[in-house]
Amino acid sequence: MSAVAEKKTADESPKRYVSPAQERVIVRAARLRLSTDKKQGIESPAWVRKIARRPL
């Protein structure tokens, strides 16, 4: 046994594979949320804007 244990951060999540079709759905949903938030006068979160900027 080693005297020093490895430290792991709490936000280490496994990277999940997203198919290209699923990626397109996610981007389109983010773009839809941007447009509906704009129409309602609500500011969209930064993470939604970041996803919406991705290319299809």
Side-chain angles (χ1 to χ4, degrees):
M1 291 185 126
S2 112
V4 179
E6 291 184 31
K7 293 183 182 180
K8 292 188 177 183
T9 59
D11 61 345
E12 283 186 21
S13 60
K15 299 291 180 185
R16 295 191 176 118
Y17 175 75
V18 178
S19 71
Q22 290 172 327
E23 178 73 18
R24 287 191 298 271
V25 170
I26 292 168
V27 171
R28 287 181 177 150
R31 291 177 182 179
L32 177 62
R33 178 165 176 179
L34 283 179
S35 66
T36 55
D37 285 353
K38 184 177 179 180
K39 289 177 183 178
Q40 294 178 352
I42 301 170
E43 185 177 347
S44 300
W47 63 270
V48 174
R49 293 189 303 267
K50 182 179 176 183
I51 293 172
R53 284 193 300 257
R54 294 182 191 170
L56 287 176

